[in-house]
Amino acid sequence: IQLPCAADGSLRLSSMDDVEIANQMFEGFFVDCWPGAPIPKHLRDMLENEIEKNNVFLWEDCDGMLVSMAAKVRTTTNTASISWVYTFKEHRGKGYGAKVTAYLSNRLLNQGYRECNLFTDASNPVSNHVYTKIGYVQIGKQSVYSIVRLT
């Protein structure tokens, strides 16, 4: 992991005290991933469950403002997956997404996971550049297919 300079903030574990702002970020993540889709009613419950399991992390800037989020979402004995990477639009372009991802990845590796992985949208050059810059290497591509009932 290539850790960006953390002089302007730090990674911290989210708590239930952060649920409102974390929910805003989680909804923002959902909207960015699935534009136009309605936000599922269970999204906040899912977030609260992951906060209670200590899986949601926030990037706090040097002024104490929460600006970015990432979560540990799937684990095996040897691997951990990172998802829900989101930075508020007004704070984008400042490296917070890279920082929250890199520092969470480093934390998970230091906890004994041999690998960290994540899924990214192949058509998003910004996120792909960020992930390769901090040390992630593309190992595959995935296609998603669905069957839609035509009426």
Side-chain angles (χ1 to χ4, degrees):
I1 296 293
Q2 304 297 317
L3 292 174
C5 177
D8 61 347
S10 61
L11 181 74
R12 77 167 175 79
L13 184 63
S14 180
S15 73
M16 291 306 286
D17 292 340
D18 306 311
V19 74
E20 293 303 326
I21 196 160
N23 191 59
Q24 291 173 25
M25 289 187 207
F26 196 24
E27 287 182 357
F29 170 80
F30 186 88
V31 169
D32 281 358
C33 291
W34 297 279
I39 294 173
K41 293 180 175 145
H42 72 279
L43 206 66
R44 185 180 175 116
D45 292 337
M46 193 167 126
L47 172 69
E48 289 179 6
N49 185 47
E50 294 304 316
I51 288 173
E52 288 176 354
K53 293 193 296 189
N54 295 323
N55 289 337
V56 180
F57 295 82
L58 302 167
W59 189 264
E60 186 173 0
D61 73 8
C62 57
D63 296 323
M65 184 175 291
L66 300 174
V67 295
S68 195
M69 175 177 80
K72 175 179 76 170
V73 293
R74 291 174 299 280
T75 61
T76 67
T77 303
N78 295 312
T79 64
S81 295
I82 294 177
S83 188
W84 304 3
V85 178
Y86 181 81
T87 301
F88 284 125
K89 290 183 184 197
E90 62 270 20
H91 297 288
R92 292 182 183 174
K94 300 174 185 174
Y96 295 130
K99 291 174 186 181
V100 73
T101 304
Y103 280 85
L104 178 53
S105 300
N106 190 58
R107 179 184 179 121
L108 296 170
L109 292 170
N110 287 337
Q111 287 176 348
Y113 292 104
R114 288 187 10 216
E115 296 178 10
C116 285
N117 60 62
L118 50 80
F119 286 92
T120 184
D121 181 350
S123 68
N124 184 335
V126 174
S127 64
N128 294 315
H129 172 74
V130 166
Y131 298 138
T132 45
K133 185 177 175 182
I134 62 174
Y136 277 88
V137 177
Q138 180 181 345
I139 59 169
K141 291 186 178 184
Q142 177 179 347
S143 298
V144 177
Y145 298 89
S146 63
I147 297 174
V148 178
R149 180 180 304 264
L150 300 175
T151 56

